[in-house]
Amino acid sequence: MRSIPAVSDLTAESLADFLRALPGVDAVGLEARAADLGTRSIKTSSKAWAIDTIIKLIDLTTLEGADTPGKVRTLVAKALVPDAGDLSTPTVAAVCVYGDMVATAVEALGDMHGDPDQGKVSVAAVATAFPSGRSSLAIKIADTQEAVAAGADEIDMVIDRGAFLSGDWWTVFQQIVAVKEACRRADGTHAHLKVILETGELVTYDNVRKASWLAMLAGGDFIKTSTGKVAPAATLPVTLLMLEAVRDWYAATGQRIGVKPAGGIKTTKDAIKYLVVVAETVGEEWLVPHLFRFGASSLLNDVLLQRQKLASGHYSSADYVTLD
Amino acid sequence: MSFMDYAPAPESTGILNLNEHYGLFINGKFVAGRGENFTSISPATEAPIATFSTTTEADVDVAVRAARSAYDSVWSKMSGADRGKYLFRIARLIQERSRELAVAETLDNGKPIKETRDVDIPLVAAWFFYYAGWADKLDFAGLGANPKSLGVAAQVIPWNFPLLMLAWKIAPALAAGNTVVLKPAETTPLTAMLFAEICQQADLPAGVVNIITGAGETGKSLVNHTDINKIAFTGSTAVGREIARAVAGTNTKLTLELGGKGANIVFDDAALDQAVEGIVSGIFFNQGHVCCAGSRLLVQENIHDEVMDRLKTRLSTLRLGDPLDKNTDIGAINSREQLDRITALAAQGESEGGERWSPVCDIPAKGFWFAPTVFTGVSPSNTIAREEIFGPVLSVMTFRTPAEAITKANNTPYGLSAGIWSEKGSRVLAVADKLRAGVIWANTFNKFDPASPFGGYKESGYGREGGLSGLAAYLEGGAA
């Protein structure tokens, strides 16, 4: 497999050389592979496992200008008890909010605030002038530091797509490095960094592959498709491509990087296709909260309806799940 | 539990309404054959499906007479527009019965349901739709005004794509105004008989399509019949040679689509993940029972190890097993005879020094199965680099320069297909220009379209099927 340059030795030139040397992506072939995986038929016991796994991997999200403390508290309540009619329903992985709502979310979670791999619920905050990323590095760093100080466990940062598209990959790289540093807490631990590529603005698969490697080289713990504010958001081919990058990174370094498709995944059927793509590309050991997430808001309710159907044998109306 | 041990998702066979026995389809009716009955089994379970009649020489004569009479009295006189209506009707009936046809094909052939459902049957319908559209436009076939059909066509097809090969033969023949007598392979006669039912459903005039079952002897009687104007054969090069010898000096036109040993060439500037997918679909699609399979992988030496790593990782996710399960990627080998041949050739590959590798996979106790197999370190002189294996066995060789890749790719008595993987457009075109193969895929493999001609160079046969060329092959003045 490909050898990875030592990050400390990287320069603008060597980074560019490395990214340019990555093999190209054939769009037709990539989409055909994603479509083929999408035809897997997941039934009975596999479906039941998939449904609970999807819930455990959801970053339940509200990212609106109209968000209020009340709205965030209802989101947290839903995260903790997704289906009051069936208390065996697992909790979601995290709630994802704007930085100024972190303290509210942390307080609302109380004792349940913690590591989703331990069955608790994390708080993820979008930062770095989300969603556009159009501000100075100093503001991006401050934005990140504030969210971490307020108790965010995870930071969802956006890359500077303008810099990326203009060919200034070095600036993008340095900003990720700087934000990663800003994720550091006083005790030396650091909040998990998810790097949003905003693939809908990078447009080409070749760009997505380059940006994925760039984000991993710069220290991202996760690579994430989208903000959810730009169409298209997550797609199956884009996620497959990012998983291939993660797979190759693991082969080269032994380090597992997470992947988060976000935006546009609304149905259980679609979410199961993502699980299949993960399992058959990087392996099912990736289907855990610290390595795979769904960024979604409406997905949870569709999954809950499917879960009720598996238990009762019939479909309930949408009124049998709570709006939030 | 392991998520990737997906729970069984079998397609139900409840949709099938099969007879215990199928006779011959002659002159619009199912009639008893004079030969002994034979049984078609499911290669995945060895369970019998139905019995079929063996067609004797006397039965062949009845079938050819029926086709001749339908040609003289009905089909050659009918307007192209009306012939087209029948073909469109057949195409729609195929779509309506697609699930049933997919299940039947999978049961009889052993190939995965996802292939019959997503590839075989949709292409069958596409072929009939495509040629239905030509039926009233023969003036534009490039052969002058009002080109004449040939007469009665004898068509013999193989077992690897039973219904699709039937479509490749019957659709253009009927569109051009010919009538046909078709013999499916003896291990896969089922869907041809369901097609006969569709002809009845479509009210196709009696005798326009006749389907006779049996083994090699029946095929021999058919192609040697004296009242045949055209022979179209898809199958082995040995039988193709025999047919060519038999028709030499006669007026019978001949199209042969024979074996292949396709080269799949991967350059170091290829999109590697997609190239790996192309290698997989090139040789493991339909268990490698594909005449145009990319059975020789030519990979540039400087990326050989990386490509092999990626390929082996990918092959470890292939799912071999019940062909009716919707998640099965690799189905059963069609017959014990073919399994024996693959087994023997693979053993020879090993004894000649090839390094053999297969992913770990459970082989079912019953039925005919062969794990996906990759041979590395193969020399061009090895048997497995020369002979068509017609199974899921890939022979990997390396090259250093484009010129060497071209020389190695062309160094075969066959010339049916080739694939080129490179992100550099000028390289793809330059290499394609020098490959002697009838079908060349760039950055894809094993893709078929009714508008695209298909056929071979050298011992892969002559004549083209598909597209305008495939139509002209059934018209006076057309090639072959």
Side-chain angles (χ1 to χ4, degrees):
Chain A
M1 288 290 166
R2 215 148 283 270
S3 65
I4 308 293
V7 174
S8 51
D9 299 343
L10 273 179
T11 61
E13 288 71 30
S14 63
L15 175 70
D17 288 345
F18 178 81
L19 295 180
R20 283 200 197 96
L22 291 169
V25 185
D26 183 80
V28 174
L30 176 72
E31 289 169 10
R33 172 69 176 147
D36 185 41
L37 286 170
T39 67
R40 290 288 192 218
S41 182
I42 305 304
K43 300 289 186 203
T44 58
S45 56
S46 295
K47 188 173 183 182
W49 186 89
I51 283 175
D52 278 6
T53 303
I54 292 165
I55 297 172
K56 289 180 208 168
L57 297 176
I58 287 179
D59 279 1
L60 195 60
T61 302
T62 184
L63 295 169
E64 303 298 334
D67 284 345
T68 58
K71 164 77 185 175
V72 170
R73 281 194 286 270
T74 35
L75 187 80
V76 167
K78 178 87 174 176
L80 291 173
V81 185
D83 185 352
D86 183 350
L87 295 177
S88 72
T89 311
T91 53
V92 303
V95 291
C96 182
V97 295
Y98 270 111
D100 61 337
M101 291 293 165
V102 168
T104 309
V106 167
E107 189 196 344
L109 280 167
D111 291 346
M112 280 301 288
H113 179 210
D115 182 353
D117 283 310
Q118 311 298 324
K120 300 208 168 183
V121 177
S122 282
V123 176
V126 297
T128 70
F130 179 96
S132 71
R134 297 257 65 86
S135 73
S136 69
L137 180 60
I139 288 174
K140 292 178 184 182
I141 289 171
D143 197 12
T144 306
Q145 285 170 335
E146 272 188 30
V148 173
D153 310 282
E154 303 167 4
I155 295 295
D156 291 27
M157 73 167 287
V158 293
I159 64 165
D160 184 337
R161 283 88 76 189
F164 184 92
L165 291 170
S166 73
D168 188 2
W169 297 331
W170 186 240
T171 291
V172 182
F173 176 84
Q174 286 179 308
Q175 289 196 358
I176 299 170
V177 170
V179 173
K180 170 102 180 184
E181 187 54 35
C183 287
R184 192 176 293 278
R185 303 188 188 94
D187 63 2
T189 61
H190 71 86
H192 275 249
L193 180 62
K194 305 198 195 97
V195 182
I196 302 173
L197 310 181
E198 196 65 303
T199 54
E201 289 186 345
L202 300 184
V203 179
T204 70
Y205 292 127
D206 286 322
N207 278 346
V208 173
R209 172 167 283 174
K210 285 189 180 78
S212 298
W213 280 89
L214 188 159
M216 293 188 294
L217 281 166
D221 300 304
F222 253 82
I223 49 178
K224 174 176 169 182
T225 60
S226 326
T227 60
K229 305 292 185 191
V230 167
T235 68
L236 206 54
V238 155
T239 308
L240 168 59
L241 176 58
M242 288 165 62
L243 285 161
E244 286 171 351
V246 160
R247 174 199 65 198
D248 292 348
W249 177 270
Y250 175 67
T253 66
Q255 183 193 1
R256 291 186 170 93
I257 302 291
V259 175
K260 178 177 172 183
I265 305 166
K266 296 186 189 316
T267 65
T268 311
K269 198 176 172 185
D270 279 347
I272 288 177
K273 291 179 185 178
Y274 282 84
L275 297 189
V276 168
V277 169
V278 173
E280 299 208 20
T281 306
V282 284
E284 61 185 277
E285 66 266 30
W286 246 262
L287 292 174
V288 290
H290 70 273
L291 290 174
F292 193 76
R293 297 285 177 85
F294 290 105
S297 43
S298 60
L299 171 64
L300 179 59
N301 272 349
D302 188 72
V303 178
L304 293 177
L305 286 173
Q306 291 291 335
R307 198 171 185 278
Q308 290 176 2
K309 193 260 171 181
L310 278 190
S312 69
H314 58 81
Y315 283 100
S316 312
S317 87
D319 289 337
Y320 285 80
V321 290
T322 56
L323 283 179
D324 53 22
Chain B
M1 66 166 281
S2 164
F3 175 59
M4 267 181 68
D5 295 340
Y6 302 133
E11 183 70 56
S12 165
T13 54
I15 194 169
L16 294 179
N17 184 17
L18 301 180
N19 301 341
E20 282 175 19
H21 175 76
Y22 288 91
L24 316 178
F25 183 67
I26 295 176
N27 212 22
K29 294 190 187 65
F30 286 96
V31 298
R34 278 167 250 202
E36 279 184 24
N37 287 351
F38 65 97
T39 304
S40 186
I41 62 167
S42 167
T45 59
E46 301 176 55
I49 300 169
T51 59
F52 297 82
S53 291
T54 296
T55 312
T56 64
E57 205 171 330
D59 297 322
V60 167
D61 190 51
V62 175
V64 173
R65 278 167 199 274
R68 174 64 60 194
S69 157
Y71 179 75
D72 289 339
S73 61
V74 184
W75 202 247
S76 65
K77 294 179 176 167
M78 191 184 282
S79 72
D82 284 340
R83 286 199 311 272
K85 282 184 201 167
Y86 283 108
L87 290 169
F88 277 120
R89 200 180 287 168
I90 289 171
R92 286 194 301 271
L93 285 164
I94 288 165
Q95 287 185 319
E96 282 167 22
R97 295 179 66 172
S98 59
R99 194 160 147 252
E100 176 193 356
L101 291 168
V103 171
E105 194 80 298
T106 287
L107 195 64
D108 200 24
N109 171 279
K111 64 171 72 190
I113 187 78
K114 79 169 190 185
E115 289 183 10
T116 55
R117 180 196 65 200
D118 297 344
V119 183
D120 291 59
I121 307 304
L123 279 173
V124 170
W127 239 268
F128 277 98
F129 276 116
Y130 175 80
Y131 281 109
W134 266 117
D136 62 353
K137 302 176 191 70
L138 300 184
D139 285 354
F140 305 96
L143 301 170
N146 199 19
K148 295 281 173 292
S149 54
L150 301 176
V152 175
Q155 306 178 319
V156 178
I157 58 170
W159 46 261
N160 58 340
F161 293 92
L163 193 60
L164 182 57
M165 291 301 105
L166 175 150
W168 282 29
K169 297 282 183 284
I170 291 183
L174 265 50
N178 306 275
T179 58
V180 306
V181 180
L182 176 136
K183 186 192 90 66
E186 69 270 29
T187 59
T188 55
L190 182 61
T191 46
M193 287 302 158
L194 298 185
F195 179 80
E197 288 176 10
I198 287 173
C199 292
Q200 289 179 326
Q201 252 182 303
D203 273 330
L204 187 72
V208 172
V209 167
N210 304 277
I211 297 175
I212 58 173
T213 46
E217 279 305 303
T218 301
K220 211 176 206 172
S221 313
L222 176 58
V223 298
N224 286 324
H225 195 285
T226 49
D227 196 25
I228 294 290
N229 305 98
K230 159 90 186 184
I231 296 172
F233 172 79
T234 298
S236 73
T237 295
V239 176
R241 258 202 204 100
E242 221 174 286
I243 295 172
R245 223 174 270 132
V247 303
T250 72
N251 274 331
T252 313
K253 294 200 167 211
L254 179 59
T255 305
L256 294 175
E257 206 269 87
L258 309 173
K261 193 73 187 172
N264 206 356
I265 307 169
V266 180
F267 287 99
D268 66 358
D269 56 5
L272 286 187
D273 286 312
Q274 286 72 49
V276 166
E277 290 307 316
I279 295 167
V280 173
S281 66
I283 186 63
F284 301 115
F285 171 63
N286 199 27
Q287 295 74 244
H289 300 330
V290 184
C291 47
C292 53
S295 51
R296 286 184 298 151
L297 176 62
L298 294 173
V299 58
Q300 196 161 343
E301 194 169 330
N302 59 340
I303 55 164
H304 171 271
D305 293 355
E306 181 173 2
V307 170
M308 285 305 111
D309 281 349
R310 285 172 189 264
L311 180 66
K312 288 174 180 178
T313 306
R314 172 68 176 86
L315 293 181
S316 306
T317 68
L318 286 179
R319 312 169 66 83
L320 177 145
D322 179 10
L324 282 165
D325 191 300
K326 290 176 231 172
N327 293 323
T328 292
D329 299 313
I330 305 279
I333 301 300
N334 181 249
S335 64
R336 183 175 301 282
E337 186 191 355
Q338 186 59 23
L339 177 61
D340 290 345
R341 177 178 161 76
I342 299 167
T343 308
L345 280 166
Q348 198 164 349
E350 245 177 317
S351 70
E352 289 177 18
E355 192 179 321
R356 182 176 181 162
W357 181 90
S358 288
V360 178
C361 67
D362 293 333
I363 301 290
K366 278 226 139 195
F368 316 130
W369 306 90
F370 199 88
T373 301
V374 177
F375 277 99
T376 48
V378 176
S379 298
S381 59
N382 292 163
T383 306
I384 54 168
R386 309 289 302 165
E387 285 206 22
E388 182 177 43
I389 299 173
F390 223 63
V393 181
L394 179 67
S395 303
V396 184
M397 288 163 279
T398 58
F399 67 88
R400 294 161 295 180
T401 62
E404 187 182 6
I406 292 162
T407 309
K408 282 185 166 168
N410 287 337
N411 182 217
T412 166
Y414 294 112
L416 190 52
S417 73
I420 306 169
W421 295 85
S422 168
E423 283 281 281
K424 189 169 177 175
S426 59
R427 170 166 298 152
V428 170
L429 294 174
V431 172
D433 199 41
K434 295 190 177 67
L435 290 176
R436 283 183 299 159
V439 187
I440 297 171
W441 285 290
N443 294 323
T444 189
F445 213 95
N446 273 340
K447 287 275 179 272
F448 306 96
D449 188 284
S452 173
F454 182 95
Y457 279 50
K458 301 187 281 183
E459 289 183 22
S460 289
Y462 42 79
R464 292 292 179 268
E465 297 186 294
L468 183 53
S469 323
L471 184 74
Y474 286 94
L475 289 167
E476 291 288 352

